[in-house]
């Protein structure tokens, strides 16, 4: 296994409080096989009703009340952009969390173009500072001084950019762009909403949490239980 795969297996072990042997890890080629393995190591509980359905109905009911939207505005495929207004997104997103009663909630992030622009600005600050200091020092033997100065300026620039763009955190995080994605998050991270003890597992909840960990580890958001970890999710 590569380093990424090792770190992912360790994250699974920590989250579910289980041990996965090297041999077992080598045989985990798909998320479905991983979910099946986890269920052999934890106390599985039969759940008479679908947790995803419960989460969707709860989210729809609270969303209709909060945003004054009709019932037909909510479906598992509805983009969150169509539900949570952008001009008041930060406040509305937090109000929805409180209305749902979730203790854990996806955090809004900066849009990807903004992140790319910020990265370019920080890089320019680093290069400019390194060149200026290096030129003034006038000796290649003291080049590390210029590099250190560049790093210092880049760190300061990064902090300033992060602070200045904090009000612009209006994008939904990768992997959580639709109502259905938010339903998966509720099932995985807020079991208390469905009267399930934190360390009691159903297959549906294990899958939702495995999905959440895959997104965090790899950044890949489009996959199924039968996707291949290496070929499709690029976890190696």
């Amino acid at each position: 296994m590569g380093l990424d795969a090792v770190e992912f297996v360790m994250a699974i072990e920590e989250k579910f409080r289980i041990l996965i042997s090297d041999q077992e890890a080598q045989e985990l080629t798909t998320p479905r096989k991983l979910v099946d393995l986890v269920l052999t190591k934890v106390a599985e509980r039969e759940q008479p009703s679908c947790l995803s359905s419960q989460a969707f109905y709860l989210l729809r009911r609270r969303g209709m009340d909060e945003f004054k939207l009709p019932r037909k505005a909510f479906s598992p495929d509805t983009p969150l952009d169509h539900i949570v207004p952008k001009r008041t997104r930060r406040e509305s997103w937090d109000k929805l969390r409180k209305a749902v009663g979730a203790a854990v909630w996806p955090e809004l992030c900066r849009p990807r173009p903004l992140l790319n622009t910020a990265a370019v600005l920080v890089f320019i600050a680093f290069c400019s500072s390194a060149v200026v200091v290096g030129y003034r020092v006038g000796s290649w033997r003291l080049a590390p001084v210029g590099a250190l100065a560049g790093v210092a300026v880049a760190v300061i620039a990064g902090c300033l950019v992060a602070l200045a763009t904090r009000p612009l955190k209006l994008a939904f995080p990768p992997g959580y762009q639709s109502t259905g994605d938010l339903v998966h998050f509720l099932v995985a991270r807020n079991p208390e909403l469905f009267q399930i003890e934190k360390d009691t597992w159903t297959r549906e909840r294990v899958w939702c949490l495995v999905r959440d960990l895959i997104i965090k580890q790899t950044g890949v958001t489009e996959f199924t239980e039968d996707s291949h970890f290496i070929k499709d999710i690029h976890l190696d």
Side-chain angles (χ1 to χ4, degrees):
M1 290 191 297
L3 183 58
D4 289 344
V6 170
E7 291 179 349
F8 177 65
V9 169
M10 290 174 62
I12 291 291
E13 289 179 322
E14 182 177 352
K15 181 62 66 175
F16 293 100
R17 299 180 184 177
I18 60 175
L19 291 176
I20 298 176
S21 69
D22 290 342
Q23 180 60 39
E24 290 171 329
Q26 293 292 340
E27 297 172 358
L28 298 177
T29 56
T30 66
R32 185 182 300 278
K33 290 184 178 181
L34 175 56
V35 171
D36 290 340
L37 176 65
V38 170
L39 287 172
T40 66
K41 296 176 178 288
V42 298
E44 182 179 5
R45 170 181 170 179
E46 292 294 332
Q47 188 69 17
S49 58
C50 177
L51 294 178
S52 293
S53 295
Q54 291 184 48
F56 175 73
Y57 297 144
L58 172 64
L59 186 61
R60 183 177 65 182
R61 186 165 60 251
R62 298 293 184 260
M64 289 171 60
D65 292 342
E66 187 63 37
F67 304 120
K68 311 302 179 187
L69 294 172
R71 187 173 183 271
K72 65 180 181 180
F74 285 84
S75 75
D77 296 325
T78 302
L80 292 172
D81 267 325
H82 293 179
I83 297 174
V84 188
K86 190 170 185 177
R87 60 186 179 84
T88 60
R89 179 155 296 167
R90 296 178 69 187
E91 297 80 4
S92 298
W93 190 237
D94 190 54
K95 287 181 179 179
L96 182 59
R97 177 190 67 79
K98 293 177 180 177
V100 171
V104 185
W105 195 245
E107 183 179 355
L108 295 176
C109 59
R110 296 169 180 81
R112 177 59 61 181
L114 179 61
L115 288 176
N116 293 338
T117 301
V120 170
L121 291 175
V122 171
F123 180 72
I124 291 174
F126 166 77
C127 293
S128 300
S129 301
V131 169
V132 169
V133 173
Y135 177 77
R136 290 189 174 182
V137 169
S139 172
W140 65 268
R141 294 185 180 85
L142 297 178
V145 175
L148 289 174
V151 170
V153 171
V155 170
I156 294 173
C159 292
L160 291 175
V161 169
L163 185 62
T165 59
R166 189 172 183 181
L168 301 179
K169 294 175 67 174
L170 301 175
F172 298 107
Y176 297 100
Q177 302 292 314
S178 70
T179 302
D181 295 333
L182 188 53
V183 163
H184 286 306
F185 185 92
L186 291 175
V187 172
R189 307 289 293 278
N190 293 272
E192 68 281 354
L193 292 177
F194 315 103
Q195 299 181 339
I196 301 175
E197 293 183 7
K198 186 175 181 180
D199 293 326
T200 302
W201 305 98
T202 66
R203 192 181 199 288
E204 185 176 9
R205 184 172 171 238
V206 169
W207 158 239
C208 288
L209 193 46
V210 165
R211 176 183 180 276
D212 188 52
L213 289 172
I214 290 173
I215 292 173
K216 286 183 177 180
Q217 182 77 18
T218 67
V220 176
T221 59
E222 299 294 332
F223 58 88
T224 68
E225 286 195 51
D226 295 312
S227 297
H228 196 279
F229 273 124
I230 296 178
K231 296 178 181 179
D232 303 319
I233 303 177
H234 311 298
L235 183 66
D236 53 20

